[in-house]
Amino acid sequence: MTVLKLMMAALPFLLLTSCVKVTQAPILFEDSAAAAGLNFTHVTGATGEYFLPEIMGPGVALIDYDNDGDLDIYLIQGKSFDGKVGSGNRLFRNQLKETGKLSFVDVTEQAGVGFVGDGMGVAVGDYDNDGFADIYVTNFGPNVLFHNNGNGTFTDVTKQAGVNDPRWSTSAAFVDYDKDGLLDLFVLNYVDFTVEGNKPCFSTTGERDYCTPKAYHSVPARLFHNQGGGVFTDVTEKSGISSAYGPGLGVVTGDFNGDGWDDLYVANDTAANLLWLNQKDGTFREEALRSGAAYASDGVARAGMGVTAGDFDGDGHDDILVTNLTREGATLFRGNGLGDFDDTSLKSGLAQLTSRFTGFGAKWFDFDNDGKLDLFIANGAVTRMETQRGKPRPFEQTNQLFQNVGGTLREVSAAAGNAFQVAGVARGAAFGDIDNDGRIDIVVANNEGPVRLLLNRSAASMHWLHVQLDGGPLNRFGVGAKVELRRKGVASIWRRVSTDSSYLSAHDSRVHFGLGSQPEVEELIVHWTDGSKESFAAIKPDQIVQIRKTTGKLTR
């Protein structure tokens, strides 16, 4: 069946999902960056030469770096290619615990994380299991690993850790792929662009424009194995990761074939996406084509940027969403838990609803606490938009919000408040409960624009639960563990602990459960990464709970 016929077949669904009348109260997200003191503007220092890295960043991280129970924000900054020194990355400390009010103070200098470079993205993970989350920064140029000293300061340990990469790195992820309790590091690289080798590219109207990645050669990703003692070893070749690559932009980890070992899914820009299945012996096998997750249903590679995985249809298996270019639409791969995927983008109507946008940061998240995963996509073009001809930055688009209604994604951007009516060049997006009110908030990083703090002001009548895992001396934050929430008479809700996905960004490591109007939790079952399972009962809703390994009841 042709793409046109498929789109026509999906038209009734499209009309249903995009034009349905919203009868509930408005879903409000309020941009509170200025009010909270989150004063940051990303700059590219563009000189008119259209250097490709200018248009690709930045990312953002949510990290409770001081372990005080509220989320702090780390923002990535660019740097001009004309030799001028930039202002560097910034760390903003959340004052919620101290003052009882959400506000931020810039602590970059005292923390020692004001790295100045051509910043791209950020990953967060406790690689040395000391109980404090560390920061890895990707750049156009050398990357940086900041060790959290536990006293409010960080130390640049890149050289001794052995995790530098001088190329153009984008998204990265901490993952314990070999189950030894130590977080390893997977780093995507994009293309072999250099300032000296910058190629002139033009829009359809003949104006100078940014090139696509096809103008350059793609660069392999790298996998660093954590040896312990603060040292990593490059195992890219040994693991098989170097056997296939493309212009990598987004990465998400997960157990996609249900064998209990973490896999890697990579969104490539204008090339086939990659699914690295863990072989349980330190190696990976690339299976995207066989699994149905390499291309969209028409067999054509999309411009994959952001990526997110989660059980949006409630069948217990992760589904993958990849954001793409304008006119391509997002790609929705439904998973069966056995490593197989089906592109349902057209059938669901999502491809049509997103086709007018270029998507970057994206994530499945339950914004209305009804127990079903909704979807946010951060949008912004990368090449000139003809509809904005004459504007100094003809790349601006609005962001999108989709509500999960019985397994159907319905766009509700128009009802989500003014924050969704303001156009920008959005890139990274990070997710977490920043004000600890039980509702998931969003931080959006804009290219050559201000950061946006979208506080979730949706109706607070629904119940919720946040779970923070403590894995003990190994894998302290339980990265990769699955948490199953059971209630009487309804299906289990599954969530996985991770900080990766979206685009160039890192998220709250606490897992979030929306409980709707049924707050009675029968039990939580934690499926730890070492294969053990523990049951925890008598969990009350509407709170943040910490669960420590070995303190529950062992179960099969």
Side-chain angles (χ1 to χ4, degrees), residues 144-158:
V144 180
L145 176 62
F146 287 112
H147 174 258
N148 191 333
N149 300 319
N151 60 0
T153 69
F154 291 79
T155 300
D156 181 347
V157 295
T158 313

Side-chain angles (χ1 to χ4, degrees), residues 368-451:
D368 54 3
N369 283 339
D370 66 352
K372 298 184 289 292
L373 291 178
D374 310 298
L375 177 66
F376 172 88
I377 300 179
N379 296 313
V382 289
T383 55
R384 289 177 176 273
M385 297 177 63
E386 185 61 26
T387 56
Q388 296 184 25
R389 192 173 186 182
K391 290 186 177 181
R393 282 181 56 77
F395 314 109
E396 294 185 343
Q397 296 179 337
T398 54
N399 300 323
Q400 291 178 286
L401 182 67
F402 299 88
Q403 186 178 33
N404 188 336
V405 182
T408 296
L409 292 173
R410 179 178 66 182
E411 183 172 8
V412 292
S413 308
N418 292 335
F420 281 80
Q421 314 310 315
V422 178
V425 188
R427 293 294 181 254
F431 298 74
D433 187 359
I434 296 171
D435 53 3
N436 285 340
D437 67 352
R439 294 170 289 187
I440 301 300
D441 311 299
I442 312 169
V443 181
V444 180
N446 285 285
N447 182 274
E448 191 76 9
V451 63

Side-chain angles (χ1 to χ4, degrees), residues 176-195:
D176 182 13
Y177 75 87
D178 57 353
K179 291 180 175 287
D180 64 355
L182 300 170
L183 293 184
D184 311 297
L185 180 62
F186 181 70
V187 183
L188 286 181
N189 287 306
Y190 192 43
V191 294
D192 63 350
F193 173 89
T194 63
V195 172

Side-chain angles (χ1 to χ4, degrees), residues 479-497:
V479 173
K482 293 182 179 179
V483 184
E484 178 186 2
L485 185 144
R486 293 182 176 179
R487 292 175 292 172
K488 292 182 179 179
V490 295
S492 294
I493 302 177
W494 291 81
R495 298 290 182 260
R496 180 179 175 275
V497 181

Side-chain angles (χ1 to χ4, degrees), residues 314-334:
D315 64 357
H317 310 308
D318 277 349
D319 309 296
I320 297 174
L321 185 285
V322 182
T323 59
N324 303 303
L325 274 179
T326 301
R327 291 184 293 277
E328 292 182 343
T331 310
L332 174 57
F333 295 106
R334 291 201 190 215

Side-chain angles (χ1 to χ4, degrees), residues 16 35 82-83 114 125 127 134 154 173 194 245 309 333 353 449 495 498 555:
L16 173 65
D82 61 7
Y127 74 88
D134 310 298
F154 291 79
T194 63
Y245 57 90
F333 295 106
L353 293 171
R495 298 290 182 260
S498 70
T555 183

Side-chain angles (χ1 to χ4, degrees), residues 13 33 41 45 162 176 212 221 280 322 335 419 425 482 502 540 546 554:
F13 189 96
T41 298
D176 182 13
T212 74
K280 312 176 191 178
V322 182
V425 188
K482 293 182 179 179
S502 188
K540 295 182 179 180
Q546 185 177 68
L554 288 175

